[in-house]
Coordinates of all heavy atoms in Angstrom, one line a residue:
P113 N 71.2 101.7 79.0 CA 71.7 100.9 77.9 C 70.6 100.2 77.1 O 69.6 100.0 77.7 CB 72.5 99.8 78.7 CG 72.4 100.0 80.1 CD 71.6 101.2 80.3
T114 N 70.8 100.1 75.9 CA 69.8 99.5 75.0 C 70.5 98.3 74.4 O 71.7 98.0 74.5 CB 69.4 100.5 73.9 OG1 70.6 100.7 73.1 CG2 68.8 101.8 74.6
A115 N 69.7 97.5 73.7 CA 70.2 96.2 73.1 C 71.3 96.5 72.1 O 72.1 95.7 71.8 CB 69.0 95.5 72.5
D116 N 71.2 97.8 71.5 CA 72.2 98.0 70.4 C 73.4 98.8 70.9 O 74.3 99.1 70.2 CB 71.7 98.9 69.3 CG 70.2 99.2 69.3 OD1 69.5 98.6 70.1 OD2 69.9 100.1 68.6
S117 N 73.5 99.2 72.3 CA 74.7 99.9 72.8 C 75.5 98.9 73.6 O 75.1 98.0 74.2 CB 74.2 101.1 73.6 OG 73.5 100.6 74.8
P118 N 76.8 99.1 73.5 CA 77.7 98.1 74.2 C 77.7 98.4 75.7 O 77.3 99.4 76.2 CB 79.1 98.5 73.6 CG 79.0 99.9 73.2 CD 77.5 100.1 72.7
S119 N 78.0 97.3 76.4 CA 78.1 97.4 77.9 C 79.3 98.2 78.2 O 80.4 98.1 77.5 CB 78.3 96.0 78.4 OG 77.1 95.2 78.1
V120 N 79.3 98.8 79.3 CA 80.5 99.6 79.9 C 80.8 99.0 81.2 O 79.9 99.0 82.1 CB 80.2 101.1 79.9 CG1 81.4 101.8 80.5 CG2 79.9 101.7 78.6
C121 N 82.0 98.5 81.4 CA 82.4 97.9 82.6 C 83.4 98.7 83.4 O 84.3 99.4 82.6 CB 82.9 96.5 82.5 SG 81.7 95.4 81.7
S122 N 83.4 98.8 84.7 CA 84.5 99.5 85.4 C 84.8 98.8 86.7 O 84.1 98.0 87.2 CB 83.9 100.9 85.8 OG 82.8 100.8 86.6
S123 N 86.0 99.1 87.1 CA 86.5 98.4 88.3 C 85.8 98.9 89.6 O 85.2 100.0 89.5 CB 88.0 98.7 88.5 OG 88.3 100.0 88.6
V124 N 85.7 98.0 90.6 CA 85.1 98.5 91.9 C 86.2 98.7 92.9 O 86.9 97.8 93.3 CB 84.2 97.3 92.4 CG1 83.5 97.6 93.6 CG2 83.1 97.1 91.3
C125 N 86.4 100.0 93.2 CA 87.4 100.3 94.2 C 87.0 99.8 95.6 O 85.8 100.0 96.0 CB 87.6 101.8 94.2 SG 88.9 102.4 95.4
G126 N 87.9 99.2 96.4 CA 87.6 98.8 97.8 C 87.2 97.3 97.8 O 86.8 96.9 99.0
D127 N 87.2 96.6 96.8 CA 86.8 95.1 96.8 C 88.0 94.2 97.0 O 87.8 93.0 97.1 CB 86.1 94.8 95.5 CG 86.9 94.8 94.3 OD1 88.0 95.3 94.3 OD2 86.4 94.3 93.2
G128 N 89.2 94.8 97.1 CA 90.4 93.9 97.5 C 91.0 93.3 96.2 O 91.8 92.3 96.4
R129 N 90.6 93.7 95.1 CA 91.1 93.2 93.8 C 91.7 94.3 93.0 O 90.9 95.2 92.5 CB 90.0 92.4 93.0 CG 89.5 91.2 93.8 CD 88.4 90.4 93.1 NE 89.1 89.8 91.9 CZ 88.6 89.8 90.7 NH1 87.4 90.4 90.5 NH2 89.2 89.2 89.7
T130 N 93.0 94.4 92.7 CA 93.5 95.4 91.9 C 93.4 95.1 90.4 O 93.9 94.1 89.9 CB 95.1 95.6 92.2 OG1 95.2 95.7 93.6 CG2 95.6 96.8 91.4
V131 N 92.4 95.8 89.8 CA 92.2 95.6 88.4 C 92.0 96.9 87.7 O 91.9 98.0 88.2 CB 90.9 94.7 88.2 CG1 91.0 93.4 88.8 CG2 89.6 95.5 88.8
G132 N 92.0 96.9 86.3 CA 91.7 98.1 85.5 C 92.8 99.1 85.7 O 94.0 98.9 85.7
T133 N 92.3 100.3 86.0 CA 93.2 101.4 86.1 C 93.5 101.8 87.6 O 94.2 102.8 87.9 CB 92.5 102.8 85.6 OG1 91.3 103.0 86.2 CG2 92.3 102.6 84.0
E134 N 93.1 100.8 88.5 CA 93.4 101.0 90.0 C 95.0 100.9 90.2 O 95.6 100.0 89.7 CB 92.7 100.0 90.8 CG 91.2 100.1 90.8 CD 90.6 98.9 91.5 OE1 91.2 97.8 91.7 OE2 89.5 99.1 91.9
G135 N 95.5 101.9 90.9 CA 96.9 101.8 91.3 C 97.1 100.8 92.4 O 98.2 100.3 92.6
C136 N 96.0 100.7 93.2 CA 96.1 99.7 94.4 C 94.6 99.4 94.8 O 93.7 100.1 94.4 CB 96.8 100.4 95.6 SG 96.1 102.0 96.0
D137 N 94.4 98.4 95.5 CA 93.1 98.2 96.1 C 93.4 97.3 97.3 O 93.6 96.1 97.2 CB 92.2 97.5 95.1 CG 90.7 97.5 95.6 OD1 90.5 97.4 96.8 OD2 89.8 97.5 94.8
D138 N 93.3 97.9 98.5 CA 93.6 97.1 99.7 C 92.3 96.5 100.4 O 92.4 96.0 101.5 CB 94.4 98.0 100.7 CG 93.5 99.2 101.1 OD1 92.4 99.5 100.7 OD2 94.2 100.0 101.9
G139 N 91.3 96.6 99.8 CA 90.0 96.1 100.3 C 89.2 96.9 101.2 O 88.3 96.6 101.8
G140 N 89.7 98.2 101.3 CA 88.9 99.2 102.1 C 88.9 100.5 101.5 O 89.5 100.8 100.4
L141 N 88.2 101.4 102.1 CA 88.1 102.8 101.6 C 88.5 103.9 102.6 O 88.1 105.0 102.6 CB 86.5 103.1 101.2 CG 86.1 102.2 100.0 CD1 84.6 102.5 99.9 CD2 86.8 102.5 98.8
V142 N 89.5 103.4 103.4 CA 90.0 104.3 104.5 C 91.2 105.1 103.9 O 92.2 104.4 103.4 CB 90.5 103.4 105.7 CG1 91.1 104.3 106.8 CG2 89.4 102.6 106.3
P143 N 91.2 106.4 104.1 CA 92.4 107.2 103.7 C 93.6 107.1 104.7 O 93.5 106.6 105.8 CB 91.9 108.6 103.7 CG 90.8 108.6 104.7 CD 90.2 107.2 104.7
A144 N 94.8 107.5 104.2 CA 96.0 107.5 104.9 C 96.5 106.2 105.3 O 97.2 106.0 106.4 CB 95.8 108.4 106.2
D145 N 96.2 105.1 104.6 CA 96.7 103.8 104.9 C 97.6 103.3 103.7 O 97.9 102.2 103.6 CB 95.6 102.8 105.2 CG 94.7 102.5 104.0 OD1 94.7 103.2 103.0 OD2 93.9 101.6 104.1
G146 N 97.8 104.2 102.8 CA 98.7 103.9 101.6 C 97.9 103.8 100.3 O 98.4 104.1 99.3
C147 N 96.6 103.3 100.4 CA 95.8 103.2 99.2 C 94.5 104.1 99.5 O 93.8 103.8 100.4 CB 95.4 101.7 99.0 SG 94.5 101.5 97.4
S148 N 94.4 105.2 98.7 CA 93.3 106.0 98.9 C 91.9 105.4 98.6 O 91.8 104.4 98.0 CB 93.5 107.3 97.9 OG 93.1 107.0 96.6
P149 N 90.8 106.2 99.1 CA 89.5 105.7 98.7 C 89.2 105.7 97.3 O 88.2 105.1 96.8 CB 88.7 106.7 99.5 CG 89.4 107.2 100.6 CD 90.8 107.2 100.0
A150 N 90.0 106.3 96.4 CA 89.9 106.3 95.0 C 90.9 105.2 94.3 O 91.0 105.2 93.1 CB 90.2 107.7 94.4
C151 N 91.5 104.3 95.1 CA 92.3 103.3 94.7 C 93.6 103.9 94.0 O 94.1 103.4 93.0 CB 91.6 102.2 93.9 SG 90.6 101.2 94.9
K152 N 94.2 104.9 94.5 CA 95.4 105.5 94.1 C 96.4 105.4 95.2 O 96.1 105.5 96.3 CB 95.2 107.0 93.7 CG 94.2 107.3 92.7 CD 94.6 106.7 91.3 CE 93.5 107.0 90.3 NZ 93.5 106.1 89.2
I153 N 97.7 105.1 94.8 CA 98.8 105.1 95.9 C 99.0 106.4 96.4 O 99.2 107.4 95.7 CB 100.0 104.5 95.3 CG1 99.7 103.1 94.8 CG2 101.1 104.4 96.3 CD1 100.9 102.4 94.0
E154 N 98.9 106.5 97.8 CA 99.1 107.9 98.5 C 100.6 108.3 98.6 O 101.4 107.4 98.6 CB 98.5 107.8 99.8 CG 96.9 107.6 99.7 CD 96.3 107.3 101.1 OE1 96.8 106.5 101.8 OE2 95.2 108.0 101.3
H155 N 100.8 109.6 98.6 CA 102.1 110.2 98.8 C 102.8 109.6 100.0 O 102.2 109.6 101.1 CB 102.0 111.6 98.8 CG 103.4 112.3 99.0 ND1 104.3 112.3 98.1 CD2 103.9 113.0 100.1 CE1 105.4 112.9 98.5 NE2 105.2 113.3 99.7
G156 N 104.0 109.1 99.9 CA 104.8 108.6 101.0 C 104.6 107.1 101.3 O 105.1 106.6 102.2
W157 N 103.9 106.5 100.3 CA 103.7 105.0 100.5 C 104.1 104.3 99.2 O 104.2 104.9 98.1 CB 102.2 104.8 100.6 CG 101.7 105.3 101.9 CD1 101.3 106.6 102.2 CD2 101.4 104.6 103.1 NE1 100.8 106.7 103.5 CE2 100.9 105.4 104.1 CE3 101.5 103.2 103.5 CZ2 100.5 105.0 105.4 CZ3 101.2 102.8 104.7 CH2 100.6 103.7 105.6
A158 N 104.3 103.0 99.3 CA 104.5 102.1 98.2 C 103.6 100.9 98.4 O 103.3 100.6 99.6 CB 106.0 101.6 98.2
C159 N 103.1 100.4 97.4 CA 102.1 99.3 97.5 C 102.5 98.1 96.6 O 102.8 98.3 95.4 CB 100.7 99.7 97.1 SG 100.0 101.0 98.2
D160 N 102.5 97.0 97.1 CA 102.8 95.8 96.3 C 101.4 95.4 95.7 O 100.5 95.1 96.4 CB 103.3 94.7 97.2 CG 104.6 95.1 97.9 OD1 105.4 95.8 97.2 OD2 104.8 94.7 99.0
T161 N 101.4 95.3 94.4 CA 100.1 94.9 93.8 C 100.3 93.8 92.8 O 101.4 93.7 92.2 CB 99.5 96.2 93.0 OG1 100.5 96.5 92.0 CG2 99.2 97.3 93.9
A162 N 99.4 92.9 92.7 CA 99.3 91.8 91.7 C 97.9 91.9 91.2 O 96.9 92.0 91.9 CB 99.6 90.5 92.4
P163 N 97.8 91.8 89.8 CA 96.5 91.8 89.3 C 95.4 90.9 89.9 O 95.8 89.7 90.1 CB 96.7 91.5 87.8 CG 98.1 91.8 87.5 CD 98.8 91.6 88.8
G164 N 94.3 91.4 90.3 CA 93.3 90.6 90.9 C 93.4 90.2 92.3 O 92.6 89.6 92.9
R165 N 94.5 90.8 93.0 CA 94.7 90.6 94.4 C 94.7 91.8 95.2 O 94.9 92.9 94.7 CB 96.1 89.8 94.6 CG 96.1 88.6 93.8 CD 97.3 87.8 94.1 NE 96.8 87.0 95.2 CZ 97.5 85.9 95.7 NH1 98.5 85.5 95.0 NH2 97.1 85.2 96.7
A166 N 94.5 91.8 96.5 CA 94.6 92.9 97.4 C 96.0 93.4 97.5 O 97.0 92.7 97.5 CB 94.1 92.5 98.8
S167 N 96.1 94.7 97.6 CA 97.4 95.5 97.7 C 97.9 95.4 99.1 O 97.1 95.6 100.1 CB 97.2 96.9 97.2 OG 96.7 97.0 95.9
A168 N 99.2 95.4 99.3 CA 99.8 95.5 100.6 C 100.6 96.7 100.5 O 101.6 96.8 99.8 CB 100.6 94.3 100.9
C169 N 100.2 97.8 101.4 CA 100.9 99.0 101.3 C 101.8 99.2 102.5 O 101.4 98.8 103.7 CB 99.9 100.2 101.1 SG 98.9 100.1 99.7
H170 N 102.9 99.9 102.4 CA 103.8 100.2 103.5 C 104.4 101.6 103.3 O 104.6 102.0 102.1 CB 104.9 99.1 103.6 CG 105.6 98.9 102.3 ND1 106.7 99.6 101.8 CD2 105.3 98.0 101.2 CE1 107.0 99.2 100.6 NE2 106.3 98.3 100.3
P171 N 104.8 102.3 104.4 CA 105.4 103.6 104.2 C 106.7 103.4 103.4 O 107.5 102.5 103.5 CB 105.8 103.9 105.7 CG 104.9 103.1 106.5 CD 104.7 101.9 105.8
L172 N 107.0 104.6 102.6 CA 108.2 104.5 101.8 C 109.2 105.3 102.6 O 109.3 106.6 102.5 CB 107.8 105.2 100.5 CG 108.9 105.2 99.4 CD1 109.3 103.7 99.0 CD2 108.4 105.8 98.1
C173 N 110.0 104.7 103.4 CA 111.0 105.3 104.2 C 112.1 106.0 103.3 O 112.6 105.3 102.3 CB 111.7 104.3 105.2 SG 112.9 105.0 106.3
G174 N 112.5 107.2 103.6 CA 113.7 107.8 102.9 C 113.1 108.8 101.9 O 113.9 109.4 101.1
D175 N 111.8 109.0 101.7 CA 111.3 110.0 100.7 C 111.0 111.3 101.3 O 110.6 112.2 100.5 CB 110.1 109.3 100.1 CG 108.9 109.3 101.1 OD1 109.0 109.4 102.3 OD2 107.8 109.1 100.6
G176 N 111.2 111.5 102.6 CA 111.0 112.8 103.2 C 109.5 113.1 103.7 O 109.3 114.1 104.2
A177 N 108.6 112.1 103.4 CA 107.3 112.3 103.8 C 107.0 111.4 105.1 O 107.3 110.3 105.1 CB 106.3 111.9 102.8
L178 N 106.6 112.1 106.2 CA 106.4 111.4 107.5 C 105.0 110.8 107.4 O 104.0 111.5 107.5 CB 106.6 112.3 108.6 CG 106.6 111.7 110.0 CD1 107.8 110.8 110.1 CD2 106.7 112.8 111.1
V179 N 104.9 109.4 107.4 CA 103.6 108.8 107.3 C 103.6 107.6 108.3 O 104.6 107.1 108.6 CB 103.2 108.4 105.9 CG1 103.0 109.5 104.9 CG2 104.2 107.4 105.3
A180 N 102.4 107.2 108.6 CA 102.1 106.0 109.4 C 103.0 106.0 110.7 O 103.0 106.9 111.5 CB 102.2 104.7 108.6
A181 N 103.6 104.9 110.9 CA 104.5 104.7 112.1 C 105.9 105.2 112.0 O 106.7 105.0 112.9 CB 104.5 103.2 112.5
E182 N 106.2 105.9 110.9 CA 107.6 106.5 110.9 C 107.8 107.5 112.0 O 107.0 108.4 112.2 CB 107.8 107.2 109.5 CG 107.8 106.2 108.3 CD 108.0 106.9 107.0 OE1 107.6 108.1 106.9 OE2 108.6 106.3 106.1
V183 N 108.9 107.4 112.7 CA 109.2 108.4 113.7 C 109.9 109.6 113.1 O 109.7 110.7 113.5 CB 110.0 107.7 114.8 CG1 110.6 108.8 115.8 CG2 109.4 106.5 115.5
C184 N 110.6 109.3 112.0 CA 111.3 110.4 111.3 C 111.5 110.0 109.9 O 111.3 108.8 109.6 CB 112.7 110.7 112.0 SG 113.8 109.2 112.1
D185 N 111.7 110.9 109.0 CA 112.0 110.6 107.6 C 112.7 111.8 107.0 O 112.1 112.8 106.7 CB 110.7 110.3 106.7 CG 111.0 109.7 105.4 OD1 112.1 110.0 104.9 OD2 110.2 108.9 104.9
D186 N 114.0 111.7 107.0 CA 114.9 112.9 106.6 C 115.1 112.9 105.1 O 116.0 113.7 104.7 CB 116.1 112.8 107.5 CG 117.0 111.6 107.3 OD1 116.6 110.7 106.5 OD2 118.0 111.5 107.9
G187 N 114.5 112.1 104.4 CA 114.6 112.1 102.9 C 115.8 111.3 102.4 O 116.2 111.4 101.2
N188 N 116.4 110.4 103.2 CA 117.5 109.5 102.7 C 117.4 108.2 103.5 O 116.6 108.1 104.5 CB 118.8 110.2 102.8 CG 119.3 110.4 104.3 OD1 119.4 109.5 105.1 ND2 119.6 111.7 104.5
N189 N 118.2 107.3 103.1 CA 118.3 105.9 103.9 C 119.7 105.8 104.5 O 120.1 104.6 104.7 CB 117.9 104.9 102.9 CG 116.5 104.8 102.4 OD1 116.3 105.2 101.3 ND2 115.6 104.5 103.3
D190 N 120.2 106.8 104.9 CA 121.6 106.8 105.6 C 121.5 106.6 107.0 O 120.6 107.3 107.7 CB 122.3 108.1 105.3 CG 122.6 108.3 103.8 OD1 122.6 107.3 103.0 OD2 122.7 109.5 103.4
D191 N 122.2 105.7 107.6 CA 122.3 105.6 109.0 C 123.4 106.6 109.5 O 124.3 107.0 108.8 CB 122.7 104.1 109.4 CG 121.7 103.2 109.2 OD1 120.4 103.5 109.4 OD2 121.9 102.0 108.9
G192 N 123.3 106.9 110.8 CA 124.3 107.8 111.4 C 124.1 109.3 111.3 O 124.8 110.1 111.7
D193 N 122.9 109.6 110.8 CA 122.5 111.0 110.7 C 121.3 111.5 111.6 O 120.8 112.5 111.4 CB 122.3 111.4 109.2 CG 121.1 110.7 108.6 OD1 120.5 109.8 109.3 OD2 120.7 111.0 107.5
G194 N 121.0 110.6 112.5 CA 119.9 110.8 113.3 C 118.6 110.1 113.1 O 117.9 109.7 113.9
C195 N 118.3 109.9 111.8 CA 117.2 109.1 111.4 C 117.7 107.9 110.6 O 118.3 108.1 109.5 CB 116.2 110.0 110.5 SG 114.7 109.2 110.1
S196 N 117.4 106.7 111.0 CA 117.9 105.5 110.5 C 117.3 105.2 109.1 O 116.4 105.8 108.7 CB 117.7 104.3 111.4 OG 116.3 103.9 111.4
H197 N 117.9 104.1 108.5 CA 117.4 103.7 107.2 C 116.0 103.1 107.4 O 115.3 103.0 106.3 CB 118.3 102.6 106.6 CG 118.3 101.3 107.4 ND1 119.0 101.1 108.5 CD2 117.6 100.2 107.2 CE1 118.8 99.9 109.0 NE2 117.8 99.3 108.2
S198 N 115.6 102.8 108.5 CA 114.2 102.3 108.8 C 113.3 103.4 109.4 O 112.2 103.0 109.9 CB 114.2 101.1 109.6 OG 114.9 101.3 110.9
C199 N 113.7 104.6 109.3 CA 112.9 105.8 109.7 C 112.6 105.7 111.3 O 111.5 106.0 111.7 CB 111.6 105.9 108.9 SG 112.0 106.5 107.3
T200 N 113.6 105.2 112.0 CA 113.5 105.3 113.5 C 114.6 106.3 114.0 O 115.6 106.4 113.3 CB 113.7 104.0 114.1 OG1 115.0 103.4 113.7 CG2 112.6 103.0 113.7
L201 N 114.3 106.9 115.1 CA 115.3 107.8 115.7 C 116.5 107.1 116.3 O 116.3 106.1 117.0 CB 114.6 108.7 116.8 CG 115.4 109.8 117.4 CD1 115.7 110.9 116.3 CD2 114.7 110.5 118.5
E202 N 117.7 107.5 115.9 CA 118.9 106.9 116.3 C 119.4 107.4 117.7 O 119.1 108.6 118.1 CB 120.1 107.1 115.3 CG 119.8 106.5 114.0 CD 120.8 106.7 113.0 OE1 121.3 107.9 112.8 OE2 121.2 105.7 112.3
R203 N 120.0 106.6 118.5 CA 120.4 106.9 119.8 C 121.4 108.1 119.8 O 122.2 108.3 119.0 CB 121.2 105.7 120.4 CG 121.6 105.9 121.8 CD 122.2 104.7 122.4 NE 122.6 104.9 123.7 CZ 123.0 104.0 124.6 NH1 123.1 102.8 124.1 NH2 123.3 104.3 125.7
G204 N 121.1 109.1 120.7 CA 121.9 110.3 120.8 C 121.3 111.4 120.0 O 122.0 112.5 120.0
Y205 N 120.2 111.2 119.4 CA 119.6 112.3 118.5 C 118.2 112.7 119.1 O 117.6 111.8 119.7 CB 119.5 111.8 117.1 CG 120.8 111.9 116.3 CD1 121.6 110.7 116.3 CD2 121.3 112.9 115.6 CE1 122.8 110.6 115.7 CE2 122.5 112.9 114.9 CZ 123.2 111.8 115.0 OH 124.4 111.7 114.2
A206 N 117.8 113.8 118.8 CA 116.4 114.3 119.1 C 115.8 114.9 117.9 O 116.6 115.3 116.9 CB 116.5 115.3 120.2
I207 N 114.6 114.9 117.7 CA 113.9 115.4 116.6 C 113.5 116.9 116.8 O 113.0 117.2 117.9 CB 112.6 114.6 116.3 CG1 112.9 113.2 115.9 CG2 111.8 115.4 115.1 CD1 111.8 112.3 115.7
H208 N 113.8 117.7 116.0 CA 113.5 119.2 116.0 C 112.7 119.5 114.8 O 113.2 119.4 113.7 CB 114.7 120.1 116.0 CG 115.6 119.8 117.2 ND1 115.4 120.2 118.4 CD2 116.8 119.1 117.3 CE1 116.3 119.8 119.3 NE2 117.2 119.1 118.6
W209 N 111.4 119.7 115.0 CA 110.5 120.0 113.9 C 110.6 121.4 113.4 O 110.7 122.4 114.1 CB 109.0 119.8 114.4 CG 108.8 118.4 114.9 CD1 108.7 118.0 116.1 CD2 108.8 117.2 114.1 NE1 108.6 116.6 116.2 CE2 108.6 116.1 114.9 CE3 108.8 116.9 112.7 CZ2 108.5 114.8 114.5 CZ3 108.7 115.7 112.2 CH2 108.6 114.6 113.2
R210 N 110.6 121.6 112.1 CA 110.6 122.9 111.4 C 109.2 123.1 110.8 O 108.7 122.2 110.2 CB 111.6 122.9 110.2 CG 113.0 123.1 110.8 CD 113.9 123.3 109.6 NE 114.7 122.1 109.4 CZ 115.2 121.6 108.3 NH1 115.2 122.4 107.2 NH2 115.9 120.5 108.3
P211 N 108.7 124.2 111.1 CA 107.3 124.5 110.5 C 107.3 124.6 109.0 O 108.4 124.9 108.4 CB 106.9 125.9 111.1 CG 108.2 126.5 111.5 CD 109.2 125.4 111.8
S212 N 106.3 124.1 108.4 CA 106.2 124.1 106.9 C 106.0 125.6 106.5 O 105.4 126.4 107.2 CB 105.0 123.3 106.4 OG 105.1 122.0 106.8
T213 N 106.5 125.8 105.3 CA 106.4 127.3 104.8 C 105.6 127.3 103.4 O 105.4 126.3 102.8 CB 107.7 127.9 104.5 OG1 108.5 127.1 103.6 CG2 108.5 128.2 105.8

């Protein structure tokens, strides 16, 4: 930069402050916790964000993506189908995994 060129500012990912173009910032750079090391919300997660504050991320139950502590995620929030609205296995059901294609 020179005296005649403008300053360029950018957000700092991982500082615990959601600013600028960051979708989230949980104060860390660990992947698979809802907020990526690039401060983007990861697939299967939702993050509560407020400008200038750290994001709180949690699994998005019912989207069909099995993440974090979810035991199951069948793509809906219906009870009585084996996987509850809170993504836990319901009594009387077992999980049968299908390989990805």
